[in-house]
Each structure stands twice: as C-alpha cells, then as structure tokens.
Amino acid sequence: MNYNPMNLILYLFFPVNLIAFVLIGYDKQLAIKNKNRISEKVLLTWVVIGGTIGSSLAMSIFRHKTAKKSYLLKFFGIVSLQVITIITLFYFDLISL
C-alpha cells in the first residue's frame, strides 16, 4: 500500500476548517453574552494548523474579529506565511498536484 501524505492533508482539511469555523462562531456568541471568551491564541492556532478558510468564512459571516487590527495583523501574517510556503513547495517541486 502506497502512503501519500497529501491524502492525510485532504482528510484533515475539512474537519480542521470546520472546527476553526465553529470556534469563531462560538466566540462571537460568547462575546454577545459577555462571557469568558476563547483566547486569540487558540483561534490563531487553528488558523496555523490549516483552518484558514474556515476562520475566514466565519469572520465574514459572523462579522467577528474583523475590526480588531491586532488580530487581523496576526491572521494575515499567518496567511501570508502559508501562501509563501505553498508557493515555495511548488516552485522547488516538493509537492505537486
């Protein structure tokens, strides 16, 4: 049986993004109710491990974290590093489609 690391990435892509999406939505509800919130560190950790799309969608849909410049700076810094990493991996032919 051939092991392909891309298969693992694809299998994890949906659940990681779903969790990131739910966490942003849940944090928004906690904010509305003035309850203890999910830390930015936790939210950004899910972005780092691949929840960029889920987090982005949730931020847009729930209009959450879209006005906090410090969070957005970190978020887009992570996204930039992810894009640079993917471009580099393709450029050096370390991954392919």
Side-chain angles (χ1 to χ4, degrees):
M1 178 186 220
N2 280 343
Y3 173 73
N4 184 351
M6 289 304 288
N7 287 341
L8 179 62
I9 291 170
L10 289 175
Y11 288 128
L12 292 175
F13 180 79
F14 182 74
V16 166
N17 278 281
L18 181 63
I19 291 167
F21 181 89
V22 169
L23 285 174
I24 295 283
Y26 183 60
D27 189 53
K28 173 69 173 197
Q29 290 305 310
L30 292 173
I32 291 169
K33 295 176 182 177
N34 279 333
K35 298 212 174 188
N36 287 338
R37 307 271 303 281
I38 299 170
S39 72
E40 285 187 4
K41 183 178 180 180
V42 169
L43 297 176
L44 290 169
T45 297
W46 283 97
V47 174
V48 167
I49 64 173
T52 307
I53 293 171
S55 292
S56 298
L57 284 172
M59 287 166 58
S60 296
I61 291 169
F62 302 120
R63 296 178 191 248
H64 190 51
K65 297 288 189 189
T66 56
K68 190 165 185 188
K69 291 188 191 314
S70 65
Y71 182 85
L72 290 174
L73 184 63
K74 293 170 194 167
F75 178 83
F76 287 116
I78 293 167
V79 172
S80 298
L81 288 174
Q82 289 173 335
V83 169
I84 290 167
T85 300
I86 290 168
I87 290 170
T88 302
L89 290 172
F90 275 108
Y91 181 79
F92 290 106
D93 213 18
L94 298 172
I95 59 173
S96 60
L97 294 176

